[in-house]
Amino acid sequence: MKASAPGPHTSGEASPGQPSARTVVAPKSVFGPVKAIGWAFLGIRGGVARERDSVEVSPLAWIGAGIAAVVALVIVLMVLVHWLVPTVG
C-alpha cells in the first residue's frame, strides 16, 4: 500500500481562511466596547476606529455599554448637583 502525502490539514500549515494550530487568538476585551462608547459619548471617535468597532463589537455589547454609560452619567450629575446646590430648609 502506498503512503499518501499529507493533506492540507495534516501538514501543520493552515489552509487559507483557517487559523493554524499555533495561532493564538486573544480573548475579546470587556473594555473594548466601554472605551468605544466612551469616546463616542464625547463625540471624538475617529472614522476608521468607528468602522472597525461596528464590525468587531456585538450590538448587545453596544447596548449594554451605552446603558451603563447613561446610568453612570446620571449618577455623576445627581451627586454633583447634590454637592453644589445647598439644601433649602
Side-chain angles (χ1 to χ4, degrees):
M1 207 156 136
K2 182 178 176 183
S4 63
H9 300 291
T10 59
S11 66
E13 295 179 17
S15 62
Q18 297 291 328
S20 70
R22 295 179 221 152
T23 303
V24 177
V25 179
K28 298 278 185 184
S29 172
V30 174
F31 296 107
V34 173
K35 186 173 91 171
I37 289 290
W39 290 124
F41 218 64
L42 294 174
I44 56 175
R45 194 72 176 158
V48 174
R50 186 176 58 241
E51 289 294 324
R52 184 184 64 237
D53 291 337
S54 68
V55 173
E56 292 179 355
V57 180
S58 74
L60 188 59
W62 280 105
I63 292 168
I67 290 172
V70 169
V71 168
L73 178 66
V74 168
I75 289 172
V76 166
L77 288 175
M78 288 174 61
V79 168
L80 189 64
V81 167
H82 182 71
W83 180 59
L84 291 176
V85 177
T87 305
V88 180

